[in-house]
Amino acid sequence: MTTRQHYVPAGYLAGFTFGGTRDSILSVHSLAGSPVRQDKPENVAFERDYNSIYVESLPKDHLECVFSSQFEGPACALFKTLSSKHRPFATKEEQAIAVNFLVLQAARVPLSRRKYERLIIENGHQFLHKVANDPEFFQTLVDAGALDESDHCCPVRSRIESVGYRHR
């Protein structure tokens, strides 16, 4: 089970080494202002269990495996081909592989991840506040089947109100 998970794939970083492999050396520039150092792609841009998920029916490295097989592997192979043959994208499929990889990278680096986590929490708070304070919105959720007024709404609503979402 993978525990060292790269938020910038080691295979991608290998493209920035002199040898073009994961065992070659690259220069590592820290965003925190530490001195530039030399290291291997395998040893940089990772965190333990960074992409681990805890879902009963899935292995904890499921997301990491999906990233690797569906996005990183094809993109790293494509970038290596483009670099070695000194050519631009030849097909729409190549463009799609590159775009999917870049979008995934933009969303999964630590700074973006923290930003999205904050947005999820803020939106959750706003939603709970609206459920607790807007009777029309509450009823819309009940009518849409998102909440079951007889079983779940009253306890949920009273809990929301008890933790301070009422009339802030």
Side-chain angles (χ1 to χ4, degrees), residues 88-106:
F89 299 120
T91 66
K92 293 284 186 194
E93 182 183 1
E94 287 182 348
Q95 289 177 344
I97 289 170
V99 166
N100 286 334
F101 174 79
L102 294 173
V103 167
L104 177 63
Q105 283 309 111

Side-chain angles (χ1 to χ4, degrees), residues 10 14 25 45 53 74 92 94-96 109 113 118 124 129-130 132 139 145 159 165:
I25 300 295
I53 57 173
K92 293 284 186 194
E94 287 182 348
Q95 289 177 344
V109 295
R113 185 173 176 168
R118 279 193 313 273
H129 181 77
K130 193 167 183 178
Q139 191 59 49
R159 176 67 184 133
Y165 286 99

Side-chain angles (χ1 to χ4, degrees), residues 12-34:
Y12 178 71
L13 292 171
F16 294 92
T17 67
F18 291 111
T21 67
R22 293 168 75 127
D23 293 329
S24 299
I25 300 295
L26 62 95
S27 295
V28 180
H29 300 261
S30 169
L31 294 176
S34 302

Side-chain angles (χ1 to χ4, degrees), residues 53-140:
I53 57 173
Y54 302 93
V55 177
E56 191 173 309
S57 62
L58 298 172
K60 86 174 187 176
D61 67 343
H62 177 75
L63 198 55
E64 181 76 6
C65 292
V66 169
F67 288 162
S68 179
S69 66
Q70 294 184 17
F71 299 99
E72 296 168 7
C76 290
L78 172 64
F79 297 148
K80 193 170 199 167
T81 298
L82 296 176
S83 178
S84 67
K85 296 186 178 183
H86 305 288
R87 70 167 178 84
F89 299 120
T91 66
K92 293 284 186 194
E93 182 183 1
E94 287 182 348
Q95 289 177 344
I97 289 170
V99 166
N100 286 334
F101 174 79
L102 294 173
V103 167
L104 177 63
Q105 283 309 111
R108 83 187 260 212
V109 295
L111 184 61
S112 294
R113 185 173 176 168
R114 286 190 298 273
K115 179 175 112 179
Y116 295 131
E117 286 171 350
R118 279 193 313 273
L119 286 172
I120 290 168
I121 290 168
E122 288 170 11
N123 286 336
H125 286 163
Q126 290 171 2
F127 177 81
L128 291 174
H129 181 77
K130 193 167 183 178
V131 168
N133 294 299
D134 185 337
E136 286 179 32
F137 181 69
F138 182 82
Q139 191 59 49
T140 300

Side-chain angles (χ1 to χ4, degrees), residues 32-53:
S34 302
V36 175
R37 64 184 171 86
Q38 304 295 304
D39 212 329
K40 294 180 181 179
E42 203 60 40
N43 299 326
V44 299
F46 75 90
E47 288 183 21
R48 293 212 177 277
D49 294 318
Y50 187 73
N51 296 309
S52 292
I53 57 173

